[in-house]
Amino acid sequence: MIISLEHIEKTYGTGNNRVPVLHDVNLAVEEGEYIAIMGPSGSGKSTLMNILGYLDEPTAGVYRFDGADNAHAGDARMAAIRNEKIGFVFQSFHLMQRRRAWENVALPLLYGNVPRKERKERAEAALIAVGLQERMDFYPNQLSGGQCQRVAIARAMCTRPKLLLADEPTGALDSKAGQQIMDIFDTLHEQGMTIVMITHERAVAERAKRILYIYDGWLKEEPQE
Ligand SMILES: Nc1ncnc2c1ncn2[C@@H]1O[C@H](COP(=O)(O)OP(=O)(O)O)[C@@H](O)[C@H]1O
Ligand SMILES: [Mg+2]
């Protein structure tokens, strides 16, 4: 099991400003699984994703990832886990506009102290894998949305993570570009990658092997009528 969430609670704020967002979330994901989490806007999808990705900590409950309970690990340890073991893809790509495609892809390797020559080689291999061998030296504003998302996927994969987390990866794309992204996810899944994808599009969720639902912070196995 790569992910285990037990009785996870997340509350923002304190006192009268308390906003309970996640309630008793339990989830087990096996290595190599491809799951989708669907839910309406404001239901807690990104909050859950941030906890899974060590971008935020739960208020209560236990999160085990890759064999370790890293609760209260501290910011430095959380950042190291994030950088070494988790690849992220976001709706809005989060690329650096002043860096070329390959430099964006290589950025996580810079934090991992990989030598420059190897960084470039690995970035190029990751870009080839998403079909962008002709665009390595382009800047993000010279690429389409779908191409930017493919750069983001290459960046997520070039550290060879154990988990790919995607928050609405097709949310900013037209349906053709979105399908290309989903085709890449299929390939990654076939290669053994564990994928947790958040989406509110039914057709996108159905590309995953298991679909879960979240409503008002409650994670469910079945959709609500
Ligand atoms: N930092 C925060 N402080 C207070 N409330 C927050 C914060 N982040 C998210 N929320 C609230 O938590 C709920 C879930 O947000 P979010 O996880 O972003 O939902 P989703 O991704 O499903 O649209 C929303 O009601 C939102 O307003
Ligand atoms: Mg969200």
Side-chain angles (χ1 to χ4, degrees):
M1 192 145 22
I2 183 163
I3 289 171
S4 157
L5 296 177
E6 286 173 23
H7 308 300
I8 294 290
E9 307 276 337
K10 181 68 186 182
T11 300
Y12 289 110
T14 54
N16 289 337
N17 297 320
R18 287 185 58 200
V19 183
V21 175
L22 297 178
H23 311 277
D24 193 21
V25 169
N26 296 281
L27 172 65
V29 180
E30 301 289 342
E31 209 154 339
E33 264 200 279
Y34 178 8
I35 77 166
I37 300 174
M38 292 193 79
S41 182
S43 57
K45 300 184 299 296
S46 294
T47 301
L48 178 58
M49 156 106 166
N50 290 344
I51 290 172
L52 289 172
Y54 290 96
L55 292 163
D56 202 354
E57 289 188 284
T59 311
V62 178
Y63 173 26
R64 287 197 194 79
F65 173 67
D66 197 25
D69 174 3
N70 297 293
H72 316 295
D75 288 349
R77 179 85 192 108
M78 281 169 68
I81 296 167
R82 227 164 34 230
N83 196 51
E84 286 165 25
K85 298 193 175 181
I86 303 175
F88 291 91
V89 175
F90 299 95
Q91 176 172 357
S92 52
F93 325 132
H94 293 196
L95 298 180
M96 303 194 65
Q97 296 300 318
R98 290 174 179 280
R99 291 184 193 251
R100 298 175 190 278
W102 80 263
E103 292 169 327
N104 268 285
V105 173
L107 213 54
L109 300 175
L110 192 62
Y111 304 129
N113 291 321
V114 177
R116 182 185 154 90
K117 184 163 175 288
E118 187 186 336
R119 286 204 301 274
K120 184 155 193 187
E121 286 167 3
R122 279 170 63 176
E124 288 182 353
L127 282 165
I128 289 168
V130 296
L132 287 179
Q133 53 274 22
E134 313 293 326
R135 300 284 186 277
M136 299 204 188
D137 290 321
F138 284 45
Y139 290 93
N141 68 5
Q142 300 171 316
L143 299 169
S144 69
Q147 289 170 338
C148 284
Q149 194 62 300
R150 280 146 67 191
V151 172
I153 293 169
R155 178 184 56 191
M157 299 314 300
C158 86
T159 56
R160 300 169 189 144
K162 300 209 73 165
L163 171 66
L164 176 61
L165 287 177
D167 192 352
E168 307 265 7
T170 63
L173 305 177
D174 62 50
S175 68
K176 181 159 175 278
Q179 278 177 30
Q180 287 176 347
I181 297 304
M182 288 301 96
D183 291 345
I184 293 171
F185 279 30
D186 281 351
T187 303
L188 292 171
H189 173 58
E190 282 160 19
Q191 292 168 349
M193 181 59 51
T194 308
I195 304 173
V196 176
M197 171 176 70
I198 282 161
T199 181
H200 59 250
E201 294 172 70
R202 161 71 46 186
V204 171
E206 282 174 352
R207 301 290 290 259
K209 304 298 170 209
R210 174 157 73 113
I211 306 179
L212 296 168
Y213 304 85
I214 186 166
Y215 302 102
D216 289 332
W218 298 91
L219 193 68
K220 307 275 184 192
E221 306 233 323
E222 301 292 333
Q224 231 166 47
E225 291 311 313

